[in-house]
Amino acid sequence: MAGPSTAERGARRTSPSGPPPRRPAARRRIRLPGRRTLLLTAVAVTLLGAGGGWLLYGSSWLRTERVRVAGTTVLTAEEVRDAADVSMNTPLAAVDTGAIEHRLRERLPRIAKVDVSRSWPHTISLVVTEREPEAIVEEDGKFHEVDAGGVLFSTVSKRPKGVPLLEMEPDRSPSSRHFGAARLRREAVRVVTQLPEKVHRDTRSLRVRSYDSITLELTGGRTVAWGSGERGEAKAKTLTALMKARPDADHFDVQAPSAPAVSRS
């Protein structure tokens, strides 16, 4: 049998050789921490946790030493501190801020909102928002202040200056029986908050007979039939225009702001 030709032998000698076969990559070994390292780490975490707990609750460094009050106008800072009843020299981290807020709102109804917070390292901060009287209700010679939500929150012996009086005279209509005194009071205060600034200054009282029968008594013997608190913005604009057009009038009716009326006695 004839062997490979001279050309074939030459081709074999001149052909490039292929790359060497790749060896499988060596697997990296993941070194797990030893028992000693794990033990030391656990001990360190435990000591840090115990130290932090002792610092917050056991040491004398982060104790409650003072109560700071801000935001009061009628109330005094001392009144707020007394009602808050914060325990001194207790761990600041252990102070129950929710309980403090509850005590303040329960003991001082004039407070509408209070923000209770910790001011490290030694202070409890109380930022108070007081209710403001939008109207008053007179009963047995005392005056009960009413806020914008219709809430009776304080009783004073002297009528506050510039605050209109609510004269609750509900009729016997089904409307009055349906809404009740509290709802009628809220509706009347809603009217107060809708009044133009000048009219608000001149308003002496509001006579409330029913939900949709509220009348303003102004200075100078003037009256305004306002109706309910609905469409308050339109009524305010109409009343302002009527007063400019008829400054001599003493009775204005804006119950239907698109069809108002004005007259002079």
Side-chain angles (χ1 to χ4, degrees), residues 189-208:
V189 175
R190 179 186 175 192
V191 170
V192 173
T193 61
Q194 296 169 340
L195 298 177
E197 184 177 350
K198 186 179 185 308
V199 177
H200 188 285
R201 288 198 305 266
D202 292 344
T203 301
R204 300 292 298 163
S205 63
L206 288 85
R207 189 166 63 252
V208 185

Side-chain angles (χ1 to χ4, degrees), residues 105-123:
R105 293 169 67 93
E106 183 179 59
R107 297 175 182 179
L108 298 175
R110 185 176 291 276
I111 293 179
K113 179 183 176 183
V114 58
D115 180 39
V116 184
S117 61
R118 300 177 182 85
S119 297
W120 302 94
H122 303 297
T123 305

Side-chain angles (χ1 to χ4, degrees), residues 240-260:
T240 300
L242 288 177
M243 287 183 163
K244 287 182 178 180
R246 290 290 306 276
D248 61 328
D250 55 16
H251 180 72
F252 306 87
D253 189 334
V254 293
Q255 295 180 84
S258 58

Side-chain angles (χ1 to χ4, degrees), residues 34-52:
R35 290 184 178 180
R36 179 183 177 84
T37 302
L38 290 174
L39 180 60
L40 290 175
T41 302
V43 171
V45 170
T46 301
L47 289 176
L48 286 173

Side-chain angles (χ1 to χ4, degrees), residues 30 55 60 68-69 109 122 124 140 168 205 223 240 245 252 255:
I30 300 175
L55 183 65
S60 59
R68 183 170 58 219
V69 178
H122 303 297
I124 291 293
D140 298 329
M168 307 298 292
S205 63
T223 61
T240 300
F252 306 87
Q255 295 180 84

Side-chain angles (χ1 to χ4, degrees), residues 221-233:
R222 296 170 297 164
T223 61
V224 179
W226 188 274
S228 71
E230 298 174 3
R231 303 186 65 189
E233 184 177 353

Side-chain angles (χ1 to χ4, degrees), residues 38-260:
L38 290 174
L39 180 60
L40 290 175
T41 302
V43 171
V45 170
T46 301
L47 289 176
L48 286 173
W54 175 82
L55 183 65
L56 289 174
Y57 296 97
S59 76
S60 59
W61 297 344
L62 302 177
R63 296 266 164 168
T64 307
E65 295 181 359
R66 66 182 66 89
V67 177
R68 183 170 58 219
V69 178
T72 56
T73 53
V74 177
L75 295 171
T76 66
E78 195 59 35
E79 286 177 310
V80 174
R81 289 192 189 94
D82 289 344
D85 194 19
V86 179
S87 297
M88 295 291 103
N89 200 35
T90 58
L92 195 65
V95 174
D96 189 340
T97 57
I100 294 173
E101 179 180 355
H102 177 75
R103 286 196 294 270
L104 285 171
R105 293 169 67 93
E106 183 179 59
R107 297 175 182 179
L108 298 175
R110 185 176 291 276
I111 293 179
K113 179 183 176 183
V114 58
D115 180 39
V116 184
S117 61
R118 300 177 182 85
S119 297
W120 302 94
H122 303 297
T123 305
I124 291 293
S125 296
L126 309 175
V127 180
V128 171
T129 302
E130 295 183 6
R131 300 181 191 274
E132 295 185 3
E134 295 290 347
I136 54 175
V137 176
E138 184 177 7
E139 185 179 11
D140 298 329
K142 300 289 184 179
F143 298 95
H144 305 288
E145 294 179 311
V146 187
D147 74 355
V151 177
L152 296 165
F153 65 91
S154 180
T155 301
V156 294
S157 57
K158 186 177 180 181
R159 177 176 175 174
K161 186 177 180 180
V163 180
L165 177 70
L166 295 187
E167 298 179 350
M168 307 298 292
E169 303 174 357
D171 56 28
R172 300 191 179 189
S173 66
S175 171
S176 297
R177 291 195 298 271
H178 172 72
F179 289 108
R183 179 66 185 279
L184 292 178
R185 186 170 61 244
R186 287 196 299 271
E187 190 66 8
V189 175
R190 179 186 175 192
V191 170
V192 173
T193 61
Q194 296 169 340
L195 298 177
E197 184 177 350
K198 186 179 185 308
V199 177
H200 188 285
R201 288 198 305 266
D202 292 344
T203 301
R204 300 292 298 163
S205 63
L206 288 85
R207 189 166 63 252
V208 185
R209 291 195 174 94
S210 67
Y211 179 83
D212 53 4
S213 180
I214 299 174
T215 301
L216 312 180
E217 303 286 346
L218 309 183
T219 56
R222 296 170 297 164
T223 61
V224 179
W226 188 274
S228 71
E230 298 174 3
R231 303 186 65 189
E233 184 177 353
K235 292 177 181 181
K237 290 181 178 179
T238 298
L239 180 60
T240 300
L242 288 177
M243 287 183 163
K244 287 182 178 180
R246 290 290 306 276
D248 61 328
D250 55 16
H251 180 72
F252 306 87
D253 189 334
V254 293
Q255 295 180 84
S258 58

